[in-house]
Amino acid sequence: MLRHLVVGAVAVLAASAGVGALAPSAGAAPTVRISVDAGTSLGTVPSSGVGLNTGFGDEHMGDPKVTSLMKAAGVRQLRYPGGSGADDYHWKTHTSGDGSGWIPSNTNFDHFMATAKKVGAQPILTANYGSGTPQEAADWVKYANVDKGYGVKYWEIGNEVYGNGHYGNGKGWETDTHADKSPKEYGKNLVAYSKAMKAVDPKVKIGAVLTTPGGWPDTEKAPGDSADWNHTVLSIAASSIDFVIVHWYPGGTTTADLLNTPSRIAGVTSSLRSLIAKYAGSRAASVEIAVTETDAVGSPALTSQAAALFAPDTYMTWFEQGATHVDWWNLHNGSGEAPTTVHGETDYRDGGILSAGTCAGGKCQPPRDTPFPTYWGIRSLTALAQPGDTMVKSSSGNSSVAVHAVRSGNGGLNVMLINKSPQNAAPVSLSYAGFTPAAGEVTTVSYAKGDTALTTAKRGTAVAQTLPPYSITTLQLKPASGTAGAAKPTPAPTPTAATPVVTASGTTGTRAQAERGVPVGQPTPGSTSGGLASTGVSNTITYSALGGLLVIAAGSVLVLRGRRRRALHGK
């Protein structure tokens, strides 16, 4: 995740471009019709679905305030040791690369596991593929699950391995010391990793890195390849894996573009399911889809309200389409870009959900660990659903309002409504099938632009609400008297054909591309490092890449900045 200074200029231009398709219209806003079919199930909310990335450079991940905030937000999974940083990280020695750089001592594996325990989150670990070996990964499994009894189930083999330079004329962002960087070689090594790790603990689940359908380098073939990355890897390793991994950075020229991207997730999951069915055969239904990185990078909004609206819509849409894990990038990240203004709100250009307290362009973030709006967007999910609740079918008559609905364990029905217009309130009318709501005012939990917490209130009814501009509102409905025993929702029909993936112009396939402004279908530019990515020393500033964060020593001050790919990404 290459947090990159050049993108700052792109973001400033994009932020000034306005809302795009969601600009206000003259006169009163028309009523948006919302339909909820509480009798049709879209599956259950995954037990560890709401996830978050952490990096071994984040010395504050285990602070009491931080773990408390994560727990309150309903975070159920923590990814470690970073993104691209994972392909440089050696867990035994808690070192990165050649070991010469400084890494906080309180971010080693055992400290991370203590953090996960405090949060109540399941770990998902990324084994070092770029500069590691199957034996190093197997030793990690032994230490984690045999020696320490941590019971770590999910293991990714590498981060964005396709970014190793095999595509794009040998210039990539991901460390890969293998002489052969082809998908064929990754597939063969993936089998070796799986065999070695499962020999230690047969219960572990092994994940394969895939390219995201519709994003670069999906469908690309380098010289000497007989097929693209996904077909090649799965043709070799499908029988040795338990889940596939994609990263979702849809971006957008305007905030409106960003907020419309969840509509493309169905096509992406359909393509993935078709690939899995082709190569996994009778095991296909058991192969999970994990989205281990996502956020709003590549759009005008990273910390401001549009990104907050994007977050729960993205999580829920992936869950409804069958993904079992979605991990936001990042806990703390920092930024080297000057803040911008998006719809009258300061955007700190930071991929973290909590402030890193850094300064750029003469302007400073709020005090460290202050929740950004993206934090509250994710925390809004706690008002909608708990693990094991049943997601049910819902639809909106206008794309300016998104809707998600969940049957709760207590027999109620929760409905999340997201008003994507930054200026206009949205009157909505709601109708229900398979559920009869109680009459009278209803409990709502909302998060609106400028808020610093979720607000619980009695407002409107189950059939009529007015949504504030740029807001998330969840209705918590009780069943009408005598209807509490409503029938259990039935599963929605399974599509019989793959849905085409629609690639929107100007979007990006990986965070490295997003941070460099590279369109889908084009290789990432040659340099593996951008503004803050370069590693060098001057009289006053030292840059050092540390897992999830870039540590910049300026005099006696340490500034933590998110690092993606080889640059500001620890992902």
Side-chain angles (χ1 to χ4, degrees):
M1 196 186 130
L2 241 171
R3 291 247 179 249
H4 190 292
L5 289 177
V6 174
V7 175
V10 175
V12 170
L13 292 175
S16 64
V19 185
L22 296 181
S25 57
T31 298
V32 177
R33 299 187 183 280
I34 302 294
S35 298
V36 179
D37 181 358
T40 301
S41 169
L42 301 179
T44 57
V45 177
S47 61
S48 56
V50 178
L52 185 63
N53 276 269
T54 58
F56 60 76
D58 185 356
E59 62 183 323
H60 297 292
M61 75 165 85
D63 290 358
K65 179 180 179 181
V66 174
T67 56
S68 178
L69 284 167
M70 286 193 282
K71 189 177 184 69
V75 172
R76 303 281 181 157
Q77 177 166 281
L78 291 177
R79 184 177 184 236
Y80 176 89
S84 294
D87 280 319
D88 269 324
Y89 181 69
H90 300 285
W91 72 271
K92 281 185 181 179
T93 56
H94 188 48
T95 57
S96 179
D98 63 6
S100 61
W102 174 82
I103 293 179
S105 60
N106 66 345
T107 63
N108 66 15
F109 176 54
D110 286 319
H111 279 92
F112 164 76
M113 288 303 302
T115 296
K117 184 176 181 180
K118 290 178 188 175
V119 175
Q122 169 183 270
I124 181 169
L125 302 182
T126 306
N128 182 345
Y129 176 81
S131 58
T133 65
Q135 187 60 53
E136 181 182 33
D139 289 346
W140 199 357
V141 173
K142 180 179 181 297
Y143 180 79
N145 293 355
V146 178
D147 299 344
K148 302 293 289 189
Y150 289 140
V152 178
K153 182 186 291 187
Y154 289 92
W155 299 76
E156 302 178 63
I157 308 304
N159 182 54
E160 289 166 356
V161 185
Y162 49 78
N164 60 9
H166 182 69
Y167 307 103
N169 299 319
K171 297 173 181 177
W173 60 86
E174 198 74 13
T175 295
D176 187 351
T177 59
H178 296 89
D180 184 349
K181 295 176 172 56
S182 69
K184 182 177 180 180
E185 184 69 6
Y186 175 67
K188 289 166 54 181
N189 288 325
L190 180 56
V191 172
Y193 270 76
S194 179
K195 182 178 180 181
M197 295 164 80
K198 291 194 175 197
V200 176
D201 182 355
K203 295 180 180 179
V204 298
K205 294 193 173 187
I206 303 299
V209 172
L210 298 187
T211 63
T212 304
W216 189 85
D218 184 47
T219 74
E220 293 284 321
K221 287 193 290 184
D225 290 349
S226 59
D228 63 21
W229 182 275
N230 289 352
H231 284 86
T232 302
V233 170
L234 290 179
S235 69
I236 296 168
S239 63
S240 299
I241 64 167
D242 305 284
F243 64 104
V244 299
I245 303 151
V246 293
H247 291 173
W248 178 245
Y249 292 110
T253 304
T254 68
T255 53
D257 293 337
L258 173 71
L259 293 176
N260 285 330
T261 58
S263 64
R264 291 163 32 208
I265 291 172
V268 174
T269 52
S270 180
S271 294
L272 290 171
R273 279 291 162 209
S274 293
L275 280 165
I276 294 167
K278 180 175 182 178
Y279 294 108
S282 60
R283 297 182 59 251
S286 67
V287 177
E288 302 174 32
I289 295 173
V291 184
T292 59
E293 290 185 20
T294 187
D295 75 6
V297 70
S299 80
L302 270 178
T303 66
S304 53
Q305 192 70 5
L309 306 186
F310 168 79
D313 200 9
T314 295
Y315 276 99
M316 287 305 301
T317 304
W318 276 110
F319 295 157
E320 290 161 356
Q321 295 298 322
T324 52
H325 313 277
V326 178
D327 302 322
W328 189 265
W329 184 267
N330 193 6
L331 174 58
H332 293 106
N333 201 80
S335 176
E337 301 173 34
T340 61
T341 300
V342 182
H343 301 303
E345 187 177 28
T346 300
D347 193 290
Y348 292 97
R349 310 304 304 152
D350 188 322
I353 62 170
L354 302 180
S355 170
T358 56
C359 301
K363 297 182 180 180
C364 295
Q365 294 183 358
R368 195 187 70 228
D369 301 331
T370 299
F372 287 129
T374 43
Y375 169 86
W376 295 109
I378 294 170
R379 186 161 168 172
S380 293
L381 291 168
T382 62
L384 174 67
Q386 296 298 315
D389 285 351
T390 302
M391 300 174 288
V392 295
K393 187 176 179 181
S394 60
S395 62
S396 172
N398 191 309
S399 62
S400 65
V401 175
V403 59
H404 301 281
V406 172
R407 289 290 296 270
S408 60
N410 63 7
L413 175 69
N414 299 330
V415 181
M416 176 177 281
L417 301 165
I418 302 172
N419 181 7
K420 303 177 190 177
S421 172
Q423 280 99 354
N424 293 342
V428 299
S429 65
L430 299 98
S431 61
Y432 303 87
F435 181 85
T436 303
E441 284 190 320
V442 300
T443 298
T444 65
V445 181
S446 61
Y447 181 71
K449 184 179 174 182
D451 287 353
T452 57
L454 303 184
T455 300
T456 301
K458 292 284 189 179
R459 192 179 78 193
T461 68
V463 297
Q465 289 282 332
T466 298
L467 311 177
Y470 250 21
S471 66
I472 305 164
T473 302
T474 300
L475 315 184
Q476 297 182 329
L477 308 176
K478 296 179 179 179
S481 179
T483 64
K488 182 178 180 181
T490 57
T494 302
T496 56
T499 304
V501 177
V502 178
T503 301
S505 61
T507 60
T508 55
T510 70
R511 187 171 191 111
Q513 288 178 281
E515 291 172 333
R516 295 176 179 189
V518 181
V520 164
Q522 295 183 15
T524 302
S527 172
T528 58
S529 60
L532 289 175
S534 56
T535 300
V537 180
S538 70
N539 291 333
T540 55
I541 301 178
T542 302
Y543 299 86
S544 179
L546 300 179
L549 297 165
L550 187 73
V551 176
I552 303 176
S556 61
V557 179
L558 285 180
V559 180
L560 302 183
R561 294 197 174 147
R563 169 185 175 251
R564 181 177 181 66
R565 308 305 173 231
R566 295 312 308 271
L568 288 174
H569 163 140
K571 311 172 155 203

